Amino acid sequence: MSVKLLLGSYTRNAGTGIYQTTLDVEKKQLAQPSAYITAGNPTYLAVSQAKRLYSVLAEKDAGGLVAYDLADFNAPKLINKSVQPGSSPAYVAVDEARQLVYSAKYHSGQLLIHRVLPDGGLELVTTVTDHGHGPKPEQDGAHVHFADLTPDQRLVTCDLGTDEVHTYDVTADGQVTEVAVYQTAAGFGPRHIVFHPTAPIAYLAGELGSAVEVLNYDATTGRFTHLQTIATIPAEHTTHNGAAAIRISADGRFLYVSNRGHDSLAGFAIKADYSLKLQQLIATEGEFPRDFAFDPTEKFVVCANQNTSNLTLFARDAKTGKLSLLQKDIACTEPVCVRFLNF
């Protein structure tokens, strides 16, 4: 049995855009990726239930999103583009219930909301601009890095530049009302957040702090409160590191974070009180692991190493949560996003 996956990448050097490959779950082997869609810096991808692909796109002095129809997977069809002056987003997510697409524009500190047109294309309906800064050089202004849904279908954004997490109510037509703002520790640099599958708990990755904050989430108010902070790297690692992707297992027992600099995946056990205990640091067999993802069975993890242009495949033990190396040095030019498909 094979599972398809797409890989977003940078195209600053020899890259062509979005790549495709397959994971053979019986042979425990990842196939050599091949070019799939030619696009400029498609660094983050989202796929809807209707088999539409929404990708980050960079074109000359503009950036935005591009929509493709994947109904015929072997012949992806361009639907439309929505680009604006300036840089491209850093994150994209689909809201199936409202038929909206959210994106986070890091460099301009903006949340963009598009509505999905009947043909799957995109139309920009809302732009929210953050303001402020933090204490570190990377926090010279607002830098929205994430925009996605809470379990109760609110919208949450992470602003790395202002050390803030914003919670919004969203209408069916994509208008937002801010209901809460959570302030992290100064210089934490919130990047991505995930939610526990059964408890009112969230886990927030701090890129600049190389740490995870464990938060209580109050669905009544949309507010977060701090419970724990735990490092993603050992204390003796004093050179540069940036925490990047964060994933939680479907059973709510294990959490994982990639470390760019330490070049590792940190594996945490989630305890009965939902606090974290670091149980593993495993090398990613490449440099600058910006993203990683579970396959649909969660028995495997594919990691994308940006700077060494390679993918790494791990096996995941569902009982212990620990990872073990299966395959490394799978060539792929500047990969930065891993997206498994369920069709």
Side-chain angles (χ1 to χ4, degrees), residues 146 150-151 156-159 163-167 180-185 188 190-206 211-219 222-230 246 248 255 270 273-276:
F146 175 97
T150 65
V156 62
T157 65
C158 298
D159 193 319
D163 287 323
E164 292 175 333
V165 177
H166 298 258
T167 311
V181 180
Y182 170 73
Q183 191 79 42
T184 73
F188 183 75
R191 179 183 173 96
H192 286 185
I193 191 169
V194 294
F195 290 82
H196 192 278
T198 59
I201 299 293
Y203 299 94
L204 178 65
V212 176
E213 286 191 355
V214 183
L215 309 174
N216 181 77
Y217 175 67
D218 186 339
R223 294 184 181 277
F224 294 94
T225 53
H226 180 267
L227 300 175
Q228 180 196 16
T229 300
I230 185 169
I246 183 169
I248 189 170
L255 186 86
I270 298 175
D273 64 356
Y274 306 108
S275 64
L276 297 177

Side-chain angles (χ1 to χ4, degrees), residues 84-138:
Q84 299 79 36
S87 61
S88 54
Y91 189 93
V92 57
V94 177
D95 182 336
E96 294 284 357
R98 300 182 185 94
Q99 284 298 286
L100 301 172
V101 170
Y102 307 114
S103 59
K105 296 199 78 170
Y106 177 88
H107 291 285
S108 58
Q110 292 178 312
L111 159 69
L112 272 61
I113 302 177
H114 288 78
R115 75 179 184 98
V116 178
L117 301 172
D119 67 352
L122 297 174
E123 179 183 62
L124 182 62
V125 293
T126 300
T127 301
V128 178
T129 303
D130 283 2
H131 301 280
H133 60 87
K136 293 187 175 179
E138 301 92 335

Side-chain angles (χ1 to χ4, degrees), residues 194-338:
V194 294
F195 290 82
H196 192 278
T198 59
I201 299 293
Y203 299 94
L204 178 65
E207 175 177 331
L208 305 182
S210 294
V212 176
E213 286 191 355
V214 183
L215 309 174
N216 181 77
Y217 175 67
D218 186 339
T220 303
T221 63
R223 294 184 181 277
F224 294 94
T225 53
H226 180 267
L227 300 175
Q228 180 196 16
T229 300
I230 185 169
T232 65
I233 54 174
E236 57 268 24
H237 183 84
T238 56
T239 55
H240 179 267
N241 185 73
I246 183 169
R247 309 288 183 192
I248 189 170
S249 59
D251 60 9
R253 298 178 57 222
F254 302 101
L255 186 86
Y256 305 84
V257 179
S258 61
N259 286 307
R260 300 177 301 175
H262 189 257
D263 296 334
S264 63
L265 295 181
F268 298 89
I270 298 175
K271 300 194 289 186
D273 64 356
Y274 306 108
S275 64
L276 297 177
K277 179 182 179 181
L278 180 66
Q279 66 170 11
Q280 184 183 28
L281 282 165
I282 186 168
T284 60
E285 305 297 334
E287 295 178 7
F288 221 66
R290 178 156 162 173
D291 195 25
F292 66 96
F294 305 127
D295 80 302
T297 70
E298 298 196 350
K299 294 179 181 179
F300 302 94
V301 170
V302 173
C303 181
N305 295 298
Q306 176 184 334
N307 288 1
T308 44
S309 291
N310 73 295
L311 307 174
T312 306
L313 176 65
F314 298 94
R316 193 183 81 92
D317 187 315
K319 292 183 179 179
T320 67
K322 291 189 176 181
L323 306 179
S324 56
L325 178 65
L326 288 174
Q327 195 179 0
K328 62 180 181 177
D329 298 332
I330 305 157
C332 184
T333 305
E334 290 189 282
V336 291
C337 183
V338 182

